[in-house]
Amino acid sequence: MSDVTSVPDARGYFGAYGGRFIPEALVAAVEQVADEYEKAKADPAFAAELNTLLKDYTGRPSPLTDVHRFSAEAGGARILLKREDLNHTGSHKINNVLGQALLTRRMGKTRLIAETGAGQHGVATATAAALFGMDCTIYMGEVDTQRQALNVARMRMLGAEVVPVKSGSRTLKDAINEAFRDWVANVDSTHYLFGTVAGPHPFPMMVRDFHRVIGQEARAQVLDRTGKLPDAVVACVGGGSNAMGVFYDFIPDAGVRLIGIEAAGEGVETPKHAATLTKGDPGVLHGSRTYVLQDEDGQTIESHSISAGLDYPGVGPEHAFLKDSGRAEYRPCTDADAMEALRLLSRTEGIIPAIESSHALAGALKLGRELGPDAVILVNLSGRGDKDMHTAAQYFGLLDDSAADAAGGAK
Amino acid sequence: MTNALLDQTLAAAKAENRAALIGYLPAGFPTVAGAAQAVQALIDGGADVVEIGLPHSDPVLDGATIQTADDIALRGGVRTKDVLETIRTVTAANPTVPVLCMTYWNPVDRYGQARFAADLAAAGGAGCILPDLPVEEADEWLAAAAEQGLATVFVVAPSSRDERLAVITAKGTGFVYAAAVMGVTGTRAQVGDMAEDLVARTRATTELPVCVGLGVSNAVQAAEVAAFADGVIVGSAFVQRILDASSPEAGYAAVRELTAELAQGVRKR
């Protein structure tokens, strides 16, 4: 399995996927990121500072939680949650953001820009900008600013400028387009703090490396807790950062199934889904070759998911590679199944998960029923659901009429 | 391998001691059927070379004006085959005018590189400008383009270091597209000071003509750029004329008029 974990090659390819499909104006900046990251990896002071931040600021290691009552609904399989929801800022995103923010300081740049879908990456980036005294602009699709309004307020509270993006599908894909446009124009002062394991090399590798701590911790915690490795590791996949983070250290463990759960929206048999690996084809989007939801002419098809963080028609190239190599499996999960899992974890365990992470939970419920009561399933609970209460309140009808009116407006 | 018509056209402008005028408009804009008329207005106004854009769902290098045109074209149902058909119509009517296709990479990748090169050549196209295909990823395309007698124009930017300019210009044919500023397409009050330096640094690496684009919208700017470049590339300003017009015909007339002004500009170096 060393051939699987040694990727990518020097040109940033994971098998047939990855690479660097970027305009010339960004080549120097992307090369600078790659060079600086290699230097930082070799610098013990960089690792020491990052580890201190992860421990004292983020609150790592994140706990591993046995969820007995939830497990009863999963055919009795033992489900263990890796609690990235308990990180500072409420999701796994902070792991990568702190790493790249330190890198930004090393490069002498003073401004961070980022895209965000659910707002978790934007909040984490705004947080790091505040911590490091940097300027910050976050691009967010207009549709997402409405369905994740709480996170817009959090980013602005932290001092970031939030720009609602009105072009295209007005979701994550278009926020990335706009962030690239900003970067091309302001590259001297600005680092594009890319939030997922997609984009041009070295981002897929670097973002994975910064999230690798999730799987490193979880693998040791599961071994310690159960005396063996899990039968399966389950994570949701939009761009795929939390999944790569939790999968990576399990890749050499051939007996551990790696299962990514994609957003099937209203169903993969309908046009309204975001199941890129299930329904897409290889192409080039946002700087790398990967699976893309695209039409016959190579135009990107608009994705759909109730979860803003998974509502993306591309996916990280390493996932494309793991899919084709057969090392990981990717399954779709509908909006309805994810929302049911969100409600179930809330009611059985007192943990309100993000809608993104709820896709992984729904995948684990199904897998548990397939594997039976002897199975141990590790689920990456990548984020908490506070930001989703507006969507959940509307979906489940949780608010009285007057409160619903006051909450008003959003999708 | 390069494209003879493109090379001759740029050489002829040079022989007249002037810069060439290169005009851009996207296919499918203002309509699939009307695009060839819009491009004809560029030619009638005096453009030496035209670029026909392949509209894309994710035009990350384009500002608001061309994004709007691409949106209109895609909502109007433009397909890759329509882009090729527009090129065919224009080249059939104007056999002495080189027509390039400017496109993001994924539509070519999806169409098939060899098939796209063959169909573009069959439509009379002179070559491609591929702004998000770096030279490192371009070997297969370059081979397909060479086989069909198509030029491949690469973009260089003010941030390109000298050693990289040499790598890019060694692979490119036709001309080098020098981006005047760090940024996306769109009209600007001033063309950047970085353009002249970039042209000089690029010339030090190649005999290819160096043409400057991004931000040029009027005859005064065209003359400024013509003073140091082999060609002046204008796009958003034409798109804006069509967007602002009360009818497609009024838009084409406005494009013709602007092209004529710019054609004067490139002759005042």
Side-chain angles (χ1 to χ4, degrees), chain A residues 339-393:
Chain A
M339 293 308 283
E340 186 49 39
L342 187 157
R343 177 159 68 179
L344 188 64
L345 191 73
S346 302
R347 299 283 172 91
T348 57
E349 301 290 342
I351 298 170
I352 302 177
I355 298 177
E356 289 77 16
S357 319
S358 299
H359 286 71
L361 292 165
L365 288 170
K366 190 152 172 260
L367 185 69
R369 290 168 202 143
E370 291 167 23
L371 298 181
D374 296 332
V376 174
I377 300 171
L378 171 66
V379 178
N380 197 24
L381 195 71
S382 55
R384 63 178 174 240
D386 307 38
K387 69 186 177 63
D388 294 316
M389 285 307 95
H390 189 92
T391 302

Short mmCIF file of all heavy atoms in Angstrom, two decimals, chain A residues 339-393:
data_model
loop_
_atom_site.label_atom_id
_atom_site.label_comp_id
_atom_site.label_asym_id
_atom_site.label_seq_id
_atom_site.Cartn_x
_atom_site.Cartn_y
_atom_site.Cartn_z
N MET A 339 -30.98 14.45 7.05
CA MET A 339 -31.75 15.19 8.07
C MET A 339 -32.29 14.24 9.13
O MET A 339 -32.36 14.59 10.31
CB MET A 339 -32.87 15.99 7.40
CG MET A 339 -32.38 17.12 6.50
SD MET A 339 -31.22 18.26 7.26
CE MET A 339 -32.34 19.26 8.27
N GLU A 340 -32.68 13.04 8.72
CA GLU A 340 -33.15 12.06 9.69
C GLU A 340 -32.02 11.66 10.65
O GLU A 340 -32.22 11.51 11.86
CB GLU A 340 -33.70 10.83 8.97
CG GLU A 340 -34.37 9.82 9.88
CD GLU A 340 -35.38 10.43 10.85
OE1 GLU A 340 -36.13 11.35 10.45
OE2 GLU A 340 -35.40 10.00 12.02
N ALA A 341 -30.81 11.53 10.12
CA ALA A 341 -29.66 11.20 10.97
C ALA A 341 -29.33 12.34 11.92
O ALA A 341 -28.94 12.12 13.08
CB ALA A 341 -28.45 10.85 10.10
N LEU A 342 -29.51 13.56 11.43
CA LEU A 342 -29.28 14.73 12.30
C LEU A 342 -30.24 14.68 13.49
O LEU A 342 -29.83 14.85 14.65
CB LEU A 342 -29.49 16.01 11.49
CG LEU A 342 -29.15 17.36 12.14
CD1 LEU A 342 -28.87 18.41 11.07
CD2 LEU A 342 -30.23 17.88 13.07
N ARG A 343 -31.49 14.41 13.20
CA ARG A 343 -32.47 14.35 14.28
C ARG A 343 -32.17 13.19 15.22
O ARG A 343 -32.24 13.33 16.43
CB ARG A 343 -33.88 14.20 13.70
CG ARG A 343 -34.94 14.06 14.81
CD ARG A 343 -36.31 14.41 14.36
NE ARG A 343 -36.82 13.44 13.40
CZ ARG A 343 -38.03 13.52 12.85
NH1 ARG A 343 -38.83 14.52 13.16
NH2 ARG A 343 -38.43 12.62 11.99
N LEU A 344 -31.78 12.06 14.65
CA LEU A 344 -31.56 10.87 15.48
C LEU A 344 -30.38 11.07 16.45
O LEU A 344 -30.47 10.75 17.63
CB LEU A 344 -31.29 9.66 14.57
CG LEU A 344 -31.22 8.31 15.28
CD1 LEU A 344 -32.56 7.95 15.92
CD2 LEU A 344 -30.80 7.21 14.30
N LEU A 345 -29.26 11.62 15.95
CA LEU A 345 -28.12 11.82 16.85
C LEU A 345 -28.48 12.84 17.94
O LEU A 345 -28.12 12.67 19.11
CB LEU A 345 -26.87 12.28 16.09
CG LEU A 345 -25.60 12.26 16.95
CD1 LEU A 345 -25.13 10.82 17.19
CD2 LEU A 345 -24.48 13.08 16.35
N SER A 346 -29.21 13.88 17.55
CA SER A 346 -29.63 14.89 18.52
C SER A 346 -30.47 14.25 19.63
O SER A 346 -30.24 14.48 20.81
CB SER A 346 -30.45 15.99 17.83
OG SER A 346 -29.70 16.60 16.80
N ARG A 347 -31.43 13.41 19.22
CA ARG A 347 -32.38 12.85 20.20
C ARG A 347 -31.79 11.71 21.02
O ARG A 347 -32.19 11.50 22.16
CB ARG A 347 -33.63 12.32 19.47
CG ARG A 347 -34.40 13.38 18.70
CD ARG A 347 -35.25 14.23 19.61
NE ARG A 347 -35.84 15.36 18.89
CZ ARG A 347 -37.04 15.33 18.31
NH1 ARG A 347 -37.77 14.22 18.34
NH2 ARG A 347 -37.52 16.40 17.70
N THR A 348 -30.84 10.95 20.42
CA THR A 348 -30.33 9.78 21.15
C THR A 348 -29.06 10.09 21.94
O THR A 348 -28.76 9.39 22.91
CB THR A 348 -30.01 8.62 20.18
OG1 THR A 348 -29.07 9.06 19.21
CG2 THR A 348 -31.27 8.09 19.52
N GLU A 349 -28.32 11.12 21.54
CA GLU A 349 -27.02 11.34 22.18
C GLU A 349 -26.82 12.76 22.70
O GLU A 349 -25.80 13.03 23.34
CB GLU A 349 -25.88 11.02 21.18
CG GLU A 349 -25.90 9.60 20.66
CD GLU A 349 -25.51 8.55 21.71
OE1 GLU A 349 -24.90 8.92 22.73
OE2 GLU A 349 -25.85 7.36 21.50
N GLY A 350 -27.76 13.66 22.40
CA GLY A 350 -27.56 15.03 22.84
C GLY A 350 -26.44 15.74 22.09
O GLY A 350 -25.81 16.64 22.63
N ILE A 351 -26.19 15.31 20.89
CA ILE A 351 -25.16 15.94 20.04
C ILE A 351 -25.85 16.39 18.75
O ILE A 351 -26.40 15.55 18.02
CB ILE A 351 -24.03 14.96 19.69
CG1 ILE A 351 -23.31 14.48 20.96
CG2 ILE A 351 -23.04 15.60 18.72
CD1 ILE A 351 -22.34 13.32 20.72
N ILE A 352 -25.83 17.70 18.49
CA ILE A 352 -26.43 18.20 17.25
C ILE A 352 -25.32 18.33 16.21
O ILE A 352 -24.46 19.19 16.33
CB ILE A 352 -27.13 19.56 17.46
CG1 ILE A 352 -28.22 19.43 18.54
CG2 ILE A 352 -27.71 20.06 16.14
CD1 ILE A 352 -28.91 20.75 18.87
N PRO A 353 -25.33 17.48 15.19
CA PRO A 353 -24.26 17.52 14.19
C PRO A 353 -24.57 18.52 13.08
O PRO A 353 -25.73 18.87 12.84
CB PRO A 353 -24.29 16.09 13.62
CG PRO A 353 -25.75 15.71 13.70
CD PRO A 353 -26.31 16.41 14.93
N ALA A 354 -23.53 18.95 12.39
CA ALA A 354 -23.72 19.74 11.17
C ALA A 354 -24.45 18.88 10.13
O ALA A 354 -24.35 17.64 10.14
CB ALA A 354 -22.37 20.19 10.61
N ILE A 355 -25.16 19.53 9.22
CA ILE A 355 -25.86 18.77 8.18
C ILE A 355 -24.85 18.01 7.31
O ILE A 355 -25.10 16.89 6.89
CB ILE A 355 -26.75 19.69 7.31
CG1 ILE A 355 -27.81 20.35 8.18
CG2 ILE A 355 -27.42 18.91 6.19
CD1 ILE A 355 -28.69 21.36 7.42
N GLU A 356 -23.67 18.62 7.09
CA GLU A 356 -22.63 17.93 6.33
C GLU A 356 -22.31 16.59 7.00
O GLU A 356 -22.39 15.52 6.38
CB GLU A 356 -21.35 18.79 6.25
CG GLU A 356 -21.47 20.02 5.37
CD GLU A 356 -22.24 21.16 6.01
OE1 GLU A 356 -22.44 21.14 7.25
OE2 GLU A 356 -22.69 22.07 5.28
N SER A 357 -21.95 16.67 8.28
CA SER A 357 -21.55 15.47 9.03
C SER A 357 -22.71 14.48 9.15
O SER A 357 -22.49 13.27 9.30
CB SER A 357 -21.07 15.86 10.42
OG SER A 357 -20.27 17.03 10.37
N SER A 358 -23.91 14.99 9.10
CA SER A 358 -25.09 14.11 9.19
C SER A 358 -25.15 13.14 8.01
O SER A 358 -25.73 12.05 8.13
CB SER A 358 -26.37 14.94 9.25
OG SER A 358 -26.35 15.77 10.40
N HIS A 359 -24.57 13.53 6.89
CA HIS A 359 -24.49 12.59 5.77
C HIS A 359 -23.64 11.38 6.15
O HIS A 359 -23.98 10.24 5.82
CB HIS A 359 -23.90 13.28 4.53
CG HIS A 359 -24.84 14.23 3.86
ND1 HIS A 359 -25.20 15.44 4.41
CD2 HIS A 359 -25.51 14.15 2.67
CE1 HIS A 359 -26.03 16.07 3.60
NE2 HIS A 359 -26.24 15.30 2.53
N ALA A 360 -22.51 11.64 6.85
CA ALA A 360 -21.67 10.53 7.29
C ALA A 360 -22.42 9.66 8.30
O ALA A 360 -22.32 8.42 8.26
CB ALA A 360 -20.37 11.07 7.90
N LEU A 361 -23.17 10.29 9.18
CA LEU A 361 -23.94 9.54 10.18
C LEU A 361 -24.97 8.64 9.49
O LEU A 361 -25.16 7.48 9.86
CB LEU A 361 -24.64 10.49 11.15
CG LEU A 361 -23.70 11.28 12.07
CD1 LEU A 361 -24.44 12.44 12.73
CD2 LEU A 361 -23.10 10.36 13.15
N ALA A 362 -25.64 9.18 8.50
CA ALA A 362 -26.63 8.38 7.77
C ALA A 362 -25.94 7.21 7.06
O ALA A 362 -26.47 6.09 7.04
CB ALA A 362 -27.37 9.26 6.75
N GLY A 363 -24.76 7.48 6.53
CA GLY A 363 -24.01 6.40 5.89
C GLY A 363 -23.63 5.32 6.89
O GLY A 363 -23.66 4.12 6.58
N ALA A 364 -23.28 5.73 8.11
CA ALA A 364 -22.90 4.77 9.15
C ALA A 364 -24.09 3.94 9.61
O ALA A 364 -23.95 2.74 9.91
CB ALA A 364 -22.27 5.50 10.33
N LEU A 365 -25.26 4.56 9.68
CA LEU A 365 -26.47 3.81 10.08
C LEU A 365 -26.72 2.67 9.09
O LEU A 365 -26.99 1.53 9.49
CB LEU A 365 -27.70 4.75 10.09
CG LEU A 365 -27.77 5.77 11.22
CD1 LEU A 365 -28.90 6.77 10.96
CD2 LEU A 365 -27.98 5.09 12.58
N LYS A 366 -26.60 2.98 7.82
CA LYS A 366 -26.84 1.98 6.78
C LYS A 366 -25.76 0.90 6.82
O LYS A 366 -26.04 -0.30 6.75
CB LYS A 366 -26.84 2.70 5.42
CG LYS A 366 -27.29 1.87 4.26
CD LYS A 366 -27.92 2.76 3.18
CE LYS A 366 -28.19 1.94 1.93
NZ LYS A 366 -27.17 2.12 0.88
N LEU A 367 -24.51 1.35 6.94
CA LEU A 367 -23.39 0.41 6.96
C LEU A 367 -23.48 -0.52 8.17
O LEU A 367 -23.20 -1.72 8.06
CB LEU A 367 -22.08 1.19 6.99
CG LEU A 367 -20.81 0.36 6.90
CD1 LEU A 367 -20.68 -0.26 5.51
CD2 LEU A 367 -19.57 1.22 7.21
N GLY A 368 -23.86 0.04 9.32
CA GLY A 368 -23.99 -0.77 10.54
C GLY A 368 -24.99 -1.90 10.35
O GLY A 368 -24.77 -3.04 10.77
N ARG A 369 -26.10 -1.56 9.69
CA ARG A 369 -27.12 -2.59 9.43
C ARG A 369 -26.57 -3.66 8.49
O ARG A 369 -26.95 -4.83 8.58
CB ARG A 369 -28.40 -1.95 8.87
CG ARG A 369 -29.14 -1.12 9.92
CD ARG A 369 -30.24 -0.25 9.30
NE ARG A 369 -30.56 0.86 10.17
CZ ARG A 369 -30.86 2.10 9.76
NH1 ARG A 369 -30.89 2.37 8.46
NH2 ARG A 369 -31.13 3.04 10.63
N GLU A 370 -25.68 -3.25 7.57
CA GLU A 370 -25.06 -4.23 6.66
C GLU A 370 -24.06 -5.12 7.39
O GLU A 370 -23.98 -6.32 7.14
CB GLU A 370 -24.33 -3.51 5.51
CG GLU A 370 -25.24 -2.80 4.52
CD GLU A 370 -24.46 -1.85 3.60
OE1 GLU A 370 -23.23 -2.04 3.43
OE2 GLU A 370 -25.08 -0.91 3.08
N LEU A 371 -23.27 -4.52 8.28
CA LEU A 371 -22.15 -5.24 8.89
C LEU A 371 -22.55 -6.01 10.15
O LEU A 371 -21.84 -6.95 10.53
CB LEU A 371 -21.01 -4.26 9.23
CG LEU A 371 -20.36 -3.52 8.06
CD1 LEU A 371 -19.24 -2.60 8.56
CD2 LEU A 371 -19.82 -4.50 7.02
N GLY A 372 -23.60 -5.58 10.81
CA GLY A 372 -24.07 -6.30 11.99
C GLY A 372 -23.38 -5.88 13.27
O GLY A 372 -22.50 -5.02 13.28
N PRO A 373 -23.78 -6.48 14.40
CA PRO A 373 -23.42 -5.98 15.73
C PRO A 373 -21.95 -6.13 16.11
O PRO A 373 -21.51 -5.51 17.05
CB PRO A 373 -24.30 -6.82 16.68
CG PRO A 373 -24.75 -7.99 15.90
CD PRO A 373 -24.73 -7.61 14.46
N ASP A 374 -21.19 -6.93 15.39
CA ASP A 374 -19.77 -7.06 15.75
C ASP A 374 -18.89 -5.95 15.17
O ASP A 374 -17.73 -5.83 15.52
CB ASP A 374 -19.22 -8.41 15.26
CG ASP A 374 -19.91 -9.58 15.94
OD1 ASP A 374 -20.37 -9.38 17.09
OD2 ASP A 374 -20.01 -10.65 15.33
N ALA A 375 -19.46 -5.18 14.29
CA ALA A 375 -18.65 -4.20 13.57
C ALA A 375 -18.35 -2.97 14.42
O ALA A 375 -19.16 -2.56 15.26
CB ALA A 375 -19.37 -3.77 12.29
N VAL A 376 -17.18 -2.41 14.19
CA VAL A 376 -16.81 -1.12 14.78
C VAL A 376 -16.65 -0.12 13.64
O VAL A 376 -15.89 -0.35 12.69
CB VAL A 376 -15.49 -1.22 15.57
CG1 VAL A 376 -15.04 0.16 16.04
CG2 VAL A 376 -15.64 -2.16 16.75
N ILE A 377 -17.41 0.96 13.75
CA ILE A 377 -17.41 1.97 12.68
C ILE A 377 -16.98 3.32 13.26
O ILE A 377 -17.60 3.81 14.21
CB ILE A 377 -18.82 2.09 12.04
CG1 ILE A 377 -19.24 0.75 11.44
CG2 ILE A 377 -18.82 3.20 10.98
CD1 ILE A 377 -20.70 0.73 10.99
N LEU A 378 -15.94 3.86 12.70
CA LEU A 378 -15.47 5.20 13.10
C LEU A 378 -16.10 6.22 12.15
O LEU A 378 -15.96 6.11 10.94
CB LEU A 378 -13.94 5.26 13.00
CG LEU A 378 -13.30 6.65 13.18
CD1 LEU A 378 -13.50 7.17 14.59
CD2 LEU A 378 -11.82 6.59 12.82
N VAL A 379 -16.78 7.20 12.74
CA VAL A 379 -17.39 8.26 11.94
C VAL A 379 -16.72 9.58 12.29
O VAL A 379 -16.59 9.92 13.47
CB VAL A 379 -18.90 8.37 12.22
CG1 VAL A 379 -19.51 9.51 11.40
CG2 VAL A 379 -19.61 7.07 11.90
N ASN A 380 -16.30 10.31 11.28
CA ASN A 380 -15.75 11.64 11.55
C ASN A 380 -16.90 12.64 11.67
O ASN A 380 -17.55 12.96 10.67
CB ASN A 380 -14.78 12.06 10.44
CG ASN A 380 -13.91 13.22 10.89
OD1 ASN A 380 -13.70 13.42 12.09
ND2 ASN A 380 -13.40 13.97 9.93
N LEU A 381 -17.12 13.09 12.90
CA LEU A 381 -18.15 14.10 13.12
C LEU A 381 -17.47 15.45 12.88
O LEU A 381 -16.96 16.08 13.79
CB LEU A 381 -18.73 14.00 14.53
CG LEU A 381 -20.04 14.77 14.69
CD1 LEU A 381 -21.17 14.07 13.94
CD2 LEU A 381 -20.41 14.96 16.15
N SER A 382 -17.51 15.88 11.62
CA SER A 382 -16.63 16.97 11.18
C SER A 382 -17.06 18.34 11.69
O SER A 382 -16.23 19.25 11.75
CB SER A 382 -16.56 16.99 9.65
OG SER A 382 -17.85 17.07 9.10
N GLY A 383 -18.34 18.51 12.08
CA GLY A 383 -18.75 19.83 12.52
C GLY A 383 -20.03 19.78 13.34
O GLY A 383 -20.77 18.80 13.29
N ARG A 384 -20.25 20.86 14.05
CA ARG A 384 -21.48 20.92 14.87
C ARG A 384 -22.58 21.69 14.15
O ARG A 384 -22.31 22.45 13.23
CB ARG A 384 -21.18 21.50 16.24
CG ARG A 384 -20.69 22.92 16.26
CD ARG A 384 -20.50 23.35 17.72
NE ARG A 384 -19.88 24.66 17.81
CZ ARG A 384 -18.72 24.90 18.43
NH1 ARG A 384 -18.04 23.94 18.99
NH2 ARG A 384 -18.26 26.13 18.49
N GLY A 385 -23.78 21.47 14.62
CA GLY A 385 -24.95 21.91 13.86
C GLY A 385 -25.54 23.25 14.21
O GLY A 385 -26.57 23.62 13.64
N ASP A 386 -24.89 23.99 15.10
CA ASP A 386 -25.49 25.28 15.49
C ASP A 386 -25.86 26.13 14.29
O ASP A 386 -26.92 26.73 14.23
CB ASP A 386 -24.49 26.09 16.35
CG ASP A 386 -23.96 25.33 17.55
OD1 ASP A 386 -23.72 24.11 17.41
OD2 ASP A 386 -23.77 25.96 18.61
N LYS A 387 -24.95 26.20 13.31
CA LYS A 387 -25.14 27.02 12.12
C LYS A 387 -26.34 26.57 11.31
O LYS A 387 -26.84 27.31 10.47
CB LYS A 387 -23.89 26.95 11.24
CG LYS A 387 -23.73 25.55 10.63
CD LYS A 387 -22.45 25.33 9.87
CE LYS A 387 -22.34 23.91 9.38
NZ LYS A 387 -23.37 23.47 8.42
N ASP A 388 -26.80 25.32 11.53
CA ASP A 388 -27.85 24.74 10.69
C ASP A 388 -29.24 24.81 11.32
O ASP A 388 -30.19 24.25 10.77
CB ASP A 388 -27.52 23.27 10.38
CG ASP A 388 -26.29 23.15 9.52
OD1 ASP A 388 -26.17 23.91 8.55
OD2 ASP A 388 -25.44 22.29 9.83
N MET A 389 -29.33 25.47 12.47
CA MET A 389 -30.62 25.45 13.16
C MET A 389 -31.72 26.14 12.38
O MET A 389 -32.88 25.77 12.46
CB MET A 389 -30.46 26.06 14.56
CG MET A 389 -29.76 25.11 15.52
SD MET A 389 -30.53 23.45 15.60
CE MET A 389 -29.54 22.53 14.44
N HIS A 390 -31.33 27.13 11.58
CA HIS A 390 -32.34 27.78 10.75
C HIS A 390 -32.92 26.78 9.73
O HIS A 390 -34.14 26.65 9.59
CB HIS A 390 -31.72 28.97 10.04
CG HIS A 390 -32.72 29.81 9.33
ND1 HIS A 390 -33.32 30.88 9.92
CD2 HIS A 390 -33.25 29.69 8.10
CE1 HIS A 390 -34.18 31.40 9.07
NE2 HIS A 390 -34.16 30.71 7.95
N THR A 391 -32.04 26.09 9.03
CA THR A 391 -32.48 25.11 8.04
C THR A 391 -33.26 23.98 8.72
O THR A 391 -34.31 23.55 8.24
CB THR A 391 -31.26 24.51 7.30
OG1 THR A 391 -30.53 25.57 6.68
CG2 THR A 391 -31.68 23.50 6.25
N ALA A 392 -32.76 23.51 9.87
CA ALA A 392 -33.42 22.41 10.57
C ALA A 392 -34.79 22.84 11.09
O ALA A 392 -35.76 22.08 11.03
CB ALA A 392 -32.55 21.93 11.72
N ALA A 393 -34.86 24.09 11.58
CA ALA A 393 -36.13 24.59 12.12
C ALA A 393 -37.18 24.61 11.01
O ALA A 393 -38.34 24.22 11.23
CB ALA A 393 -35.93 25.98 12.69
#
